[in-house]
Amino acid sequence: CKPRLYKLKEFDDIHGGSLIATLSELYANNWKFQQTAKAMSYHLNTVKYRYRKICEILNTDIENDSEMRFDLQLALKLTEIYNISQKGEK
């Protein structure tokens, strides 16, 4: 997970952003911007901007890079599983 999400987490930590949350919602909403904006209570342009920023940071076009999209989806799912297991141990 780290190679795919590390740069986004680092950006979020430095800038107080929520790019990983946006990426996670995009994945949850089948990469549909309008549904993601509604789910996050954001303007559509905010979600589009964040998507472009994610692509810029990762130096890829997620829409046209199926391997990167798969890797990101897997990393998000594994991170979710890890977080759930960590909560269960406490």
Side-chain angles (χ1 to χ4, degrees):
C1 298
K2 190 173 181 178
R4 293 297 186 212
L5 297 179
Y6 179 76
K7 289 180 182 179
L8 296 177
K9 179 161 177 19
E10 185 177 55
F11 183 89
D12 282 352
D13 290 345
I14 292 170
H15 300 285
S18 56
L19 294 181
I20 291 180
T22 302
L23 183 65
S24 183
E25 278 296 325
L26 278 164
Y27 168 55
N29 288 288
N30 202 26
W31 303 95
K32 293 183 175 31
F33 294 118
Q34 189 69 44
Q35 289 176 332
T36 300
K38 186 176 181 180
M40 297 184 81
S41 299
Y42 289 145
H43 192 276
L44 175 61
N45 289 340
T46 301
V47 173
K48 287 180 178 180
Y49 169 80
R50 288 182 178 187
Y51 175 78
R52 287 190 306 269
K53 191 67 178 173
I54 290 166
C55 289
E56 178 186 319
I57 290 169
L58 296 177
N59 196 29
T60 190
D61 179 11
I62 298 168
E63 186 175 351
N64 295 313
D65 187 347
S66 60
E67 186 175 323
M68 175 62 87
R69 186 183 286 206
F70 175 80
D71 287 352
L72 288 170
Q73 289 175 183
L74 183 60
L76 288 167
K77 208 42 134 167
L78 290 172
T79 300
E80 180 183 327
I81 291 167
Y82 176 77
N83 289 338
I84 289 170
S85 71
Q86 290 299 311
K87 288 179 184 175
E89 291 178 10
K90 292 181 182 178

